[in-house]
Short mmCIF file of all heavy atoms in Angstrom, two decimals:
data_model
loop_
_atom_site.label_atom_id
_atom_site.label_comp_id
_atom_site.label_asym_id
_atom_site.label_seq_id
_atom_site.Cartn_x
_atom_site.Cartn_y
_atom_site.Cartn_z
N MET N 1 -67.82 -110.66 -67.40
CA MET N 1 -67.76 -109.83 -66.25
C MET N 1 -68.61 -108.57 -66.30
O MET N 1 -69.13 -108.11 -65.31
CB MET N 1 -66.22 -109.38 -66.10
CG MET N 1 -65.90 -108.80 -64.78
SD MET N 1 -66.11 -109.93 -63.46
CE MET N 1 -65.50 -109.10 -62.08
N ALA N 2 -68.66 -108.03 -67.51
CA ALA N 2 -69.58 -106.83 -67.66
C ALA N 2 -70.96 -107.16 -67.48
O ALA N 2 -71.67 -106.28 -66.87
CB ALA N 2 -69.33 -106.27 -69.10
N GLU N 3 -71.43 -108.35 -67.79
CA GLU N 3 -72.82 -108.64 -67.53
C GLU N 3 -73.09 -108.81 -66.03
O GLU N 3 -74.08 -108.38 -65.54
CB GLU N 3 -73.13 -110.04 -68.20
CG GLU N 3 -74.53 -110.46 -68.08
CD GLU N 3 -74.79 -111.82 -68.77
OE1 GLU N 3 -74.11 -112.12 -69.72
OE2 GLU N 3 -75.68 -112.58 -68.29
N TYR N 4 -72.14 -109.41 -65.29
CA TYR N 4 -72.18 -109.51 -63.88
C TYR N 4 -72.32 -108.13 -63.25
O TYR N 4 -73.19 -107.93 -62.31
CB TYR N 4 -70.98 -110.25 -63.40
CG TYR N 4 -70.85 -110.29 -61.87
CD1 TYR N 4 -71.69 -111.11 -61.08
CD2 TYR N 4 -70.01 -109.44 -61.13
CE1 TYR N 4 -71.67 -111.19 -59.75
CE2 TYR N 4 -69.88 -109.50 -59.90
CZ TYR N 4 -70.65 -110.38 -59.06
OH TYR N 4 -70.58 -110.47 -57.63
N ASN N 5 -71.44 -107.15 -63.61
CA ASN N 5 -71.48 -105.88 -63.09
C ASN N 5 -72.80 -105.11 -63.38
O ASN N 5 -73.33 -104.46 -62.53
CB ASN N 5 -70.27 -104.99 -63.58
CG ASN N 5 -69.01 -105.48 -62.91
OD1 ASN N 5 -68.96 -106.03 -61.81
ND2 ASN N 5 -67.93 -105.31 -63.64
N ALA N 6 -73.29 -105.31 -64.55
CA ALA N 6 -74.55 -104.69 -64.99
C ALA N 6 -75.66 -105.28 -64.11
O ALA N 6 -76.56 -104.51 -63.70
CB ALA N 6 -74.87 -104.95 -66.48
N GLU N 7 -75.74 -106.57 -63.83
CA GLU N 7 -76.66 -107.18 -62.96
C GLU N 7 -76.68 -106.62 -61.59
O GLU N 7 -77.69 -106.32 -61.01
CB GLU N 7 -76.60 -108.71 -62.98
CG GLU N 7 -77.05 -109.33 -64.32
CD GLU N 7 -76.86 -110.86 -64.23
OE1 GLU N 7 -76.41 -111.38 -63.26
OE2 GLU N 7 -77.00 -111.44 -65.35
N ARG N 8 -75.48 -106.52 -61.04
CA ARG N 8 -75.32 -105.96 -59.69
C ARG N 8 -75.81 -104.52 -59.60
O ARG N 8 -76.44 -104.13 -58.64
CB ARG N 8 -73.89 -106.09 -59.30
CG ARG N 8 -73.38 -107.53 -58.88
CD ARG N 8 -72.07 -107.50 -58.39
NE ARG N 8 -71.82 -106.49 -57.43
CZ ARG N 8 -71.53 -106.64 -56.10
NH1 ARG N 8 -71.61 -107.88 -55.63
NH2 ARG N 8 -71.25 -105.66 -55.32
N GLN N 9 -75.46 -103.72 -60.67
CA GLN N 9 -75.86 -102.32 -60.68
C GLN N 9 -77.33 -102.23 -60.74
O GLN N 9 -78.00 -101.42 -60.07
CB GLN N 9 -75.24 -101.62 -61.87
CG GLN N 9 -75.69 -100.11 -62.01
CD GLN N 9 -75.23 -99.33 -60.75
OE1 GLN N 9 -74.17 -99.55 -60.11
NE2 GLN N 9 -75.98 -98.34 -60.46
N ALA N 10 -78.06 -103.04 -61.54
CA ALA N 10 -79.48 -103.10 -61.72
C ALA N 10 -80.13 -103.48 -60.41
O ALA N 10 -81.16 -102.89 -59.96
CB ALA N 10 -79.91 -104.03 -62.80
N GLU N 11 -79.49 -104.41 -59.67
CA GLU N 11 -80.09 -104.85 -58.39
C GLU N 11 -79.93 -103.80 -57.40
O GLU N 11 -80.84 -103.50 -56.56
CB GLU N 11 -79.31 -106.13 -57.88
CG GLU N 11 -79.87 -106.78 -56.59
CD GLU N 11 -79.08 -107.98 -56.25
OE1 GLU N 11 -78.45 -108.66 -57.11
OE2 GLU N 11 -79.16 -108.32 -55.00
N ARG N 12 -78.80 -103.00 -57.32
CA ARG N 12 -78.67 -101.97 -56.45
C ARG N 12 -79.59 -100.83 -56.69
O ARG N 12 -80.24 -100.24 -55.73
CB ARG N 12 -77.26 -101.38 -56.44
CG ARG N 12 -76.24 -102.18 -55.73
CD ARG N 12 -74.92 -101.49 -55.66
NE ARG N 12 -74.06 -102.45 -56.34
CZ ARG N 12 -73.15 -102.22 -57.25
NH1 ARG N 12 -72.87 -100.92 -57.62
NH2 ARG N 12 -72.50 -103.10 -57.84
N ALA N 13 -79.93 -100.53 -58.00
CA ALA N 13 -80.87 -99.54 -58.28
C ALA N 13 -82.35 -99.96 -57.95
O ALA N 13 -83.08 -99.12 -57.41
CB ALA N 13 -80.79 -99.26 -59.79
N LYS N 14 -82.62 -101.18 -58.11
CA LYS N 14 -83.92 -101.60 -57.61
C LYS N 14 -84.11 -101.55 -56.18
O LYS N 14 -85.12 -101.25 -55.68
CB LYS N 14 -84.06 -103.15 -58.20
CG LYS N 14 -85.43 -103.75 -57.79
CD LYS N 14 -85.52 -105.12 -58.36
CE LYS N 14 -86.78 -105.85 -58.00
NZ LYS N 14 -87.00 -107.17 -58.46
N THR N 15 -83.03 -101.98 -55.40
CA THR N 15 -83.08 -101.87 -53.93
C THR N 15 -83.34 -100.48 -53.52
O THR N 15 -84.03 -100.19 -52.59
CB THR N 15 -81.79 -102.47 -53.38
OG1 THR N 15 -81.60 -103.80 -53.81
CG2 THR N 15 -81.85 -102.39 -51.90
N VAL N 16 -82.63 -99.53 -54.09
CA VAL N 16 -82.74 -98.15 -53.78
C VAL N 16 -84.19 -97.65 -53.97
O VAL N 16 -84.77 -96.95 -53.16
CB VAL N 16 -81.79 -97.20 -54.48
CG1 VAL N 16 -81.93 -95.76 -54.36
CG2 VAL N 16 -80.27 -97.52 -53.95
N ARG N 17 -84.75 -98.02 -55.11
CA ARG N 17 -86.12 -97.63 -55.47
C ARG N 17 -87.11 -98.22 -54.55
O ARG N 17 -87.96 -97.53 -54.00
CB ARG N 17 -86.32 -98.13 -56.92
CG ARG N 17 -87.76 -97.65 -57.37
CD ARG N 17 -88.02 -98.19 -58.82
NE ARG N 17 -87.94 -99.53 -58.97
CZ ARG N 17 -88.99 -100.38 -58.77
NH1 ARG N 17 -90.17 -99.91 -58.48
NH2 ARG N 17 -88.88 -101.66 -58.96
N LEU N 18 -86.94 -99.45 -54.23
CA LEU N 18 -87.87 -100.14 -53.25
C LEU N 18 -87.74 -99.52 -51.88
O LEU N 18 -88.81 -99.41 -51.16
CB LEU N 18 -87.75 -101.67 -53.31
CG LEU N 18 -88.07 -102.40 -54.54
CD1 LEU N 18 -87.60 -103.87 -54.44
CD2 LEU N 18 -89.46 -102.28 -54.86
N LYS N 19 -86.57 -99.23 -51.45
CA LYS N 19 -86.41 -98.58 -50.16
C LYS N 19 -87.08 -97.24 -50.08
O LYS N 19 -87.67 -96.97 -49.04
CB LYS N 19 -84.84 -98.47 -49.87
CG LYS N 19 -84.64 -97.89 -48.43
CD LYS N 19 -83.13 -97.86 -48.29
CE LYS N 19 -82.88 -97.30 -46.89
NZ LYS N 19 -81.47 -97.18 -46.56
N ALA N 20 -86.94 -96.49 -51.13
CA ALA N 20 -87.63 -95.20 -51.20
C ALA N 20 -89.12 -95.33 -51.05
O ALA N 20 -89.87 -94.52 -50.39
CB ALA N 20 -87.25 -94.35 -52.42
N ILE N 21 -89.65 -96.28 -51.78
CA ILE N 21 -91.11 -96.52 -51.80
C ILE N 21 -91.55 -96.89 -50.41
O ILE N 21 -92.53 -96.46 -49.89
CB ILE N 21 -91.50 -97.54 -52.83
CG1 ILE N 21 -91.26 -97.08 -54.23
CG2 ILE N 21 -92.90 -98.10 -52.66
CD1 ILE N 21 -91.45 -98.11 -55.26
N ARG N 22 -90.82 -97.86 -49.75
CA ARG N 22 -91.15 -98.31 -48.39
C ARG N 22 -91.06 -97.13 -47.38
O ARG N 22 -91.92 -97.00 -46.58
CB ARG N 22 -90.19 -99.37 -48.01
CG ARG N 22 -90.67 -100.00 -46.64
CD ARG N 22 -89.59 -100.89 -46.05
NE ARG N 22 -88.51 -100.10 -45.49
CZ ARG N 22 -87.20 -100.30 -45.84
NH1 ARG N 22 -86.87 -101.21 -46.59
NH2 ARG N 22 -86.34 -99.53 -45.32
N GLU N 23 -90.08 -96.28 -47.42
CA GLU N 23 -89.91 -95.17 -46.54
C GLU N 23 -91.11 -94.17 -46.71
O GLU N 23 -91.56 -93.67 -45.83
CB GLU N 23 -88.59 -94.59 -46.69
CG GLU N 23 -87.43 -95.42 -46.15
CD GLU N 23 -86.04 -94.88 -46.37
OE1 GLU N 23 -85.93 -93.89 -47.20
OE2 GLU N 23 -85.11 -95.30 -45.79
N ALA N 24 -91.43 -93.89 -47.96
CA ALA N 24 -92.50 -93.00 -48.22
C ALA N 24 -93.82 -93.55 -47.69
O ALA N 24 -94.63 -92.86 -47.09
CB ALA N 24 -92.61 -92.72 -49.75
N LYS N 25 -94.05 -94.79 -47.81
CA LYS N 25 -95.22 -95.54 -47.37
C LYS N 25 -95.28 -95.38 -45.80
O LYS N 25 -96.35 -95.05 -45.19
CB LYS N 25 -95.33 -96.92 -47.78
CG LYS N 25 -96.52 -97.68 -47.30
CD LYS N 25 -96.57 -99.09 -47.78
CE LYS N 25 -97.68 -99.85 -47.16
NZ LYS N 25 -97.74 -101.28 -47.51
N GLU N 26 -94.14 -95.67 -45.17
CA GLU N 26 -94.06 -95.61 -43.67
C GLU N 26 -94.24 -94.20 -43.18
O GLU N 26 -94.92 -93.93 -42.16
CB GLU N 26 -92.69 -96.15 -43.15
CG GLU N 26 -92.55 -97.63 -43.37
CD GLU N 26 -91.19 -98.13 -43.02
OE1 GLU N 26 -90.23 -97.34 -42.81
OE2 GLU N 26 -91.00 -99.40 -42.99
N ALA N 27 -93.72 -93.20 -43.92
CA ALA N 27 -93.97 -91.82 -43.50
C ALA N 27 -95.39 -91.44 -43.58
O ALA N 27 -95.92 -90.74 -42.82
CB ALA N 27 -93.05 -90.84 -44.36
N GLU N 28 -96.01 -91.87 -44.69
CA GLU N 28 -97.43 -91.60 -44.88
C GLU N 28 -98.27 -92.22 -43.69
O GLU N 28 -99.19 -91.59 -43.13
CB GLU N 28 -97.90 -92.06 -46.23
CG GLU N 28 -99.39 -91.80 -46.50
CD GLU N 28 -99.81 -92.37 -47.94
OE1 GLU N 28 -99.00 -92.51 -48.70
OE2 GLU N 28 -101.06 -92.58 -47.98
N GLU N 29 -98.01 -93.46 -43.43
CA GLU N 29 -98.67 -94.14 -42.33
C GLU N 29 -98.47 -93.40 -41.03
O GLU N 29 -99.32 -93.31 -40.15
CB GLU N 29 -98.30 -95.62 -42.22
CG GLU N 29 -98.75 -96.40 -43.40
CD GLU N 29 -98.20 -97.79 -43.38
OE1 GLU N 29 -97.39 -98.19 -42.57
OE2 GLU N 29 -98.66 -98.66 -44.26
N GLY N 30 -97.25 -92.96 -40.81
CA GLY N 30 -96.95 -92.28 -39.59
C GLY N 30 -97.68 -90.98 -39.49
O GLY N 30 -98.11 -90.56 -38.39
N SER N 31 -97.83 -90.26 -40.57
CA SER N 31 -98.58 -89.02 -40.56
C SER N 31 -100.01 -89.26 -40.31
O SER N 31 -100.71 -88.36 -39.71
CB SER N 31 -98.31 -88.20 -41.78
OG SER N 31 -98.97 -88.91 -42.94
N LEU N 32 -100.60 -90.31 -40.82
CA LEU N 32 -102.03 -90.70 -40.54
C LEU N 32 -102.19 -90.96 -39.13
O LEU N 32 -103.24 -90.54 -38.53
CB LEU N 32 -102.46 -91.87 -41.41
CG LEU N 32 -102.59 -91.67 -42.94
CD1 LEU N 32 -102.95 -92.97 -43.58
CD2 LEU N 32 -103.61 -90.51 -43.21
N LYS N 33 -101.32 -91.72 -38.48
CA LYS N 33 -101.49 -92.01 -37.08
C LYS N 33 -101.43 -90.83 -36.18
O LYS N 33 -102.13 -90.61 -35.25
CB LYS N 33 -100.30 -93.02 -36.61
CG LYS N 33 -100.62 -94.35 -37.13
CD LYS N 33 -99.55 -95.39 -36.66
CE LYS N 33 -99.80 -96.70 -37.24
NZ LYS N 33 -98.68 -97.66 -36.90
N GLY N 34 -100.49 -89.88 -36.50
CA GLY N 34 -100.34 -88.59 -35.91
C GLY N 34 -101.51 -87.66 -35.97
O GLY N 34 -101.84 -86.92 -35.04
N SER N 35 -102.20 -87.70 -37.14
CA SER N 35 -103.33 -86.82 -37.35
C SER N 35 -104.68 -87.36 -36.78
O SER N 35 -105.63 -86.60 -36.80
CB SER N 35 -103.49 -86.49 -38.81
OG SER N 35 -103.86 -87.67 -39.46
N GLY N 36 -104.71 -88.56 -36.34
CA GLY N 36 -105.92 -89.07 -35.79
C GLY N 36 -106.83 -89.67 -36.80
O GLY N 36 -107.87 -90.03 -36.59
N ALA N 37 -106.36 -89.79 -38.15
CA ALA N 37 -107.07 -90.37 -39.10
C ALA N 37 -107.24 -91.84 -38.97
O ALA N 37 -106.34 -92.49 -38.36
CB ALA N 37 -106.46 -90.06 -40.50
N ARG N 38 -108.28 -92.42 -39.52
CA ARG N 38 -108.46 -93.86 -39.36
C ARG N 38 -107.70 -94.63 -40.41
O ARG N 38 -107.59 -94.15 -41.49
CB ARG N 38 -109.96 -94.16 -39.51
CG ARG N 38 -110.89 -93.56 -38.38
CD ARG N 38 -112.17 -93.94 -38.57
NE ARG N 38 -112.31 -95.31 -37.99
CZ ARG N 38 -113.47 -96.06 -38.04
NH1 ARG N 38 -114.54 -95.54 -38.58
NH2 ARG N 38 -113.51 -97.18 -37.63
N SER N 39 -107.17 -95.73 -40.01
CA SER N 39 -106.48 -96.55 -40.94
C SER N 39 -107.39 -97.37 -41.74
O SER N 39 -108.56 -97.43 -41.53
CB SER N 39 -105.46 -97.46 -40.20
OG SER N 39 -106.13 -98.40 -39.41
N LYS N 40 -106.90 -98.07 -42.83
CA LYS N 40 -107.73 -98.82 -43.65
C LYS N 40 -108.40 -100.07 -42.92
O LYS N 40 -109.47 -100.46 -43.20
CB LYS N 40 -106.96 -99.41 -44.79
CG LYS N 40 -106.55 -98.27 -45.76
CD LYS N 40 -105.78 -98.79 -46.98
CE LYS N 40 -105.46 -97.82 -47.93
NZ LYS N 40 -104.69 -98.26 -49.07
N SER N 41 -107.63 -100.56 -41.93
CA SER N 41 -108.16 -101.72 -41.17
C SER N 41 -108.21 -101.31 -39.70
O SER N 41 -107.22 -101.43 -38.99
CB SER N 41 -107.33 -103.01 -41.36
OG SER N 41 -106.09 -102.73 -41.00
N PRO N 42 -109.41 -100.77 -39.23
CA PRO N 42 -109.45 -100.38 -37.82
C PRO N 42 -109.44 -101.38 -36.82
O PRO N 42 -109.26 -101.16 -35.63
CB PRO N 42 -110.81 -99.55 -37.86
CG PRO N 42 -111.58 -100.26 -38.88
CD PRO N 42 -110.64 -100.64 -40.00
N GLY N 43 -109.63 -102.68 -37.22
CA GLY N 43 -109.50 -103.78 -36.31
C GLY N 43 -111.08 -104.33 -36.00
O GLY N 43 -111.97 -103.71 -36.48
N LEU N 44 -111.08 -105.32 -35.22
CA LEU N 44 -112.39 -105.94 -35.01
C LEU N 44 -112.93 -105.31 -33.71
O LEU N 44 -112.35 -105.28 -32.70
CB LEU N 44 -112.21 -107.48 -34.79
CG LEU N 44 -113.34 -108.31 -34.43
CD1 LEU N 44 -114.34 -108.18 -35.60
CD2 LEU N 44 -112.97 -109.71 -34.22
N THR N 45 -114.18 -104.87 -33.82
CA THR N 45 -114.92 -104.45 -32.70
C THR N 45 -116.22 -105.18 -32.60
O THR N 45 -116.91 -105.27 -33.62
CB THR N 45 -115.15 -102.95 -32.70
OG1 THR N 45 -115.91 -102.59 -33.93
CG2 THR N 45 -113.81 -102.22 -32.72
N LEU N 46 -116.59 -105.64 -31.42
CA LEU N 46 -117.84 -106.38 -31.29
C LEU N 46 -118.86 -105.58 -30.47
O LEU N 46 -118.48 -105.06 -29.41
CB LEU N 46 -117.59 -107.72 -30.58
CG LEU N 46 -116.63 -108.74 -31.31
CD1 LEU N 46 -116.38 -109.88 -30.40
CD2 LEU N 46 -117.21 -109.21 -32.65
N SER N 47 -120.09 -105.58 -30.91
CA SER N 47 -121.09 -104.87 -30.14
C SER N 47 -121.68 -105.81 -29.13
O SER N 47 -121.50 -107.04 -29.32
CB SER N 47 -122.15 -104.31 -31.07
OG SER N 47 -122.93 -105.40 -31.56
N PRO N 48 -122.30 -105.39 -28.07
CA PRO N 48 -122.92 -106.27 -27.06
C PRO N 48 -123.95 -107.20 -27.60
O PRO N 48 -124.24 -108.19 -27.09
CB PRO N 48 -123.45 -105.30 -25.97
CG PRO N 48 -122.73 -104.04 -26.23
CD PRO N 48 -122.38 -103.95 -27.67
N ASP N 49 -124.57 -106.69 -28.73
CA ASP N 49 -125.63 -107.53 -29.34
C ASP N 49 -125.17 -108.54 -30.30
O ASP N 49 -125.87 -109.42 -30.77
CB ASP N 49 -126.62 -106.60 -30.05
CG ASP N 49 -127.28 -105.65 -29.17
OD1 ASP N 49 -127.46 -105.91 -27.97
OD2 ASP N 49 -127.64 -104.53 -29.52
N ASP N 50 -123.90 -108.57 -30.48
CA ASP N 50 -123.24 -109.55 -31.49
C ASP N 50 -123.22 -110.94 -30.84
O ASP N 50 -122.82 -111.10 -29.78
CB ASP N 50 -121.83 -109.12 -31.72
CG ASP N 50 -121.22 -109.90 -32.97
OD1 ASP N 50 -121.74 -110.94 -33.25
OD2 ASP N 50 -120.25 -109.35 -33.54
N PRO N 51 -123.77 -111.93 -31.55
CA PRO N 51 -123.82 -113.28 -30.92
C PRO N 51 -122.50 -113.86 -30.73
O PRO N 51 -122.24 -114.68 -29.86
CB PRO N 51 -124.61 -114.11 -32.04
CG PRO N 51 -124.59 -113.36 -33.27
CD PRO N 51 -124.40 -111.88 -32.86
N VAL N 52 -121.46 -113.39 -31.39
CA VAL N 52 -120.13 -113.97 -31.17
C VAL N 52 -119.50 -113.37 -29.87
O VAL N 52 -118.72 -114.06 -29.16
CB VAL N 52 -119.11 -113.47 -32.34
CG1 VAL N 52 -117.72 -113.90 -32.11
CG2 VAL N 52 -119.71 -114.03 -33.65
N ALA N 53 -119.94 -112.22 -29.47
CA ALA N 53 -119.48 -111.56 -28.20
C ALA N 53 -120.06 -112.21 -27.01
O ALA N 53 -119.54 -112.14 -25.92
CB ALA N 53 -119.78 -110.08 -28.22
N LYS N 54 -121.21 -112.86 -27.07
CA LYS N 54 -121.88 -113.41 -25.97
C LYS N 54 -121.31 -114.80 -25.59
O LYS N 54 -121.01 -115.60 -26.42
CB LYS N 54 -123.35 -113.59 -26.22
CG LYS N 54 -124.04 -112.32 -26.44
CD LYS N 54 -125.56 -112.49 -26.68
CE LYS N 54 -126.21 -111.10 -27.04
NZ LYS N 54 -127.56 -111.23 -27.31
N PRO N 55 -121.14 -115.03 -24.31
CA PRO N 55 -120.63 -116.37 -23.93
C PRO N 55 -121.62 -117.43 -24.15
O PRO N 55 -122.80 -117.26 -24.10
CB PRO N 55 -120.29 -116.20 -22.40
CG PRO N 55 -121.17 -115.03 -21.98
CD PRO N 55 -121.34 -114.20 -23.15
N ARG N 56 -121.14 -118.61 -24.53
CA ARG N 56 -122.07 -119.74 -24.88
C ARG N 56 -122.41 -120.41 -23.66
O ARG N 56 -121.64 -120.55 -22.65
CB ARG N 56 -121.37 -120.78 -25.80
CG ARG N 56 -121.05 -120.13 -27.18
CD ARG N 56 -120.46 -121.12 -28.07
NE ARG N 56 -120.16 -120.56 -29.41
CZ ARG N 56 -119.60 -121.19 -30.32
NH1 ARG N 56 -119.39 -122.45 -30.21
NH2 ARG N 56 -119.50 -120.61 -31.45
N LYS N 57 -123.62 -120.97 -23.58
CA LYS N 57 -124.06 -121.74 -22.48
C LYS N 57 -123.66 -123.10 -22.62
O LYS N 57 -123.68 -123.68 -23.64
CB LYS N 57 -125.60 -121.70 -22.34
CG LYS N 57 -126.11 -120.29 -22.02
CD LYS N 57 -127.64 -120.23 -21.89
CE LYS N 57 -128.19 -118.80 -21.66
NZ LYS N 57 -129.52 -118.78 -21.55
N LYS N 58 -123.35 -123.78 -21.43
CA LYS N 58 -122.99 -125.18 -21.54
C LYS N 58 -124.18 -126.11 -21.69
O LYS N 58 -125.29 -125.82 -21.14
CB LYS N 58 -122.24 -125.61 -20.22
CG LYS N 58 -120.91 -124.94 -20.13
CD LYS N 58 -120.13 -125.36 -18.85
CE LYS N 58 -118.84 -124.66 -18.77
NZ LYS N 58 -118.09 -125.12 -17.55
N ALA N 59 -123.98 -127.18 -22.45
CA ALA N 59 -125.07 -128.09 -22.67
C ALA N 59 -125.40 -128.86 -21.29
O ALA N 59 -124.41 -129.01 -20.49
CB ALA N 59 -124.70 -129.09 -23.69
N PRO N 60 -126.50 -129.33 -21.17
CA PRO N 60 -126.84 -130.07 -19.92
C PRO N 60 -125.92 -131.33 -19.80
O PRO N 60 -125.69 -131.94 -20.81
CB PRO N 60 -128.36 -130.46 -20.07
CG PRO N 60 -128.87 -129.64 -21.21
CD PRO N 60 -127.68 -129.14 -22.04
N GLY N 61 -125.59 -131.70 -18.61
CA GLY N 61 -124.84 -132.77 -18.40
C GLY N 61 -123.24 -132.61 -18.65
O GLY N 61 -122.40 -133.45 -18.66
N GLY N 62 -122.89 -131.30 -18.79
CA GLY N 62 -121.50 -131.00 -18.97
C GLY N 62 -120.94 -131.20 -20.37
O GLY N 62 -119.76 -131.06 -20.53
N LYS N 63 -121.76 -131.54 -21.27
CA LYS N 63 -121.24 -131.87 -22.63
C LYS N 63 -121.44 -130.55 -23.57
O LYS N 63 -122.22 -129.74 -23.24
CB LYS N 63 -122.03 -132.97 -23.40
CG LYS N 63 -121.86 -134.27 -22.67
CD LYS N 63 -122.56 -135.34 -23.40
CE LYS N 63 -122.47 -136.70 -22.66
NZ LYS N 63 -123.28 -137.75 -23.41
N LYS N 64 -120.44 -130.41 -24.42
CA LYS N 64 -120.54 -129.23 -25.31
C LYS N 64 -121.19 -129.51 -26.58
O LYS N 64 -121.30 -130.49 -27.14
CB LYS N 64 -119.06 -128.84 -25.57
CG LYS N 64 -118.38 -128.14 -24.36
CD LYS N 64 -117.14 -127.63 -24.71
CE LYS N 64 -116.41 -127.01 -23.52
NZ LYS N 64 -115.17 -126.44 -23.88
#
């Protein structure tokens, strides 16, 4: 029984530690958004010259 209680206590301590880490990370991300700072992954932006951004022309005869 003592081993069971020790495992539960260790699990609770780990959960508290991980929750604190997560909340600190979320607070940091929230402060970055509020300050106008750029995040690590700004997202995909395509320039007009990018070949991926241009629509493809259909092949003659309606085949792709």
Side-chain angles (χ1 to χ4, degrees):
M1 189 66 168
E3 184 179 332
Y4 172 76
N5 288 333
E7 287 176 6
R8 286 183 46 110
Q9 179 63 30
E11 185 176 336
R12 278 185 245 138
K14 183 178 177 181
T15 302
V16 168
R17 182 179 60 87
L18 292 174
K19 182 178 179 181
I21 292 170
R22 186 190 75 232
E23 289 175 348
K25 181 180 176 184
E26 289 174 353
E28 181 180 335
E29 289 173 356
S31 67
L32 288 177
K33 288 181 183 178
S35 67
R38 297 182 77 183
S39 65
K40 291 182 181 179
S41 58
L44 179 63
T45 57
L46 299 174
S47 70
D49 298 328
D50 191 340
V52 176
K54 294 181 183 178
R56 295 182 181 181
K57 295 181 181 178
K58 293 183 179 179
K63 296 181 181 178
K64 290 184 178 181

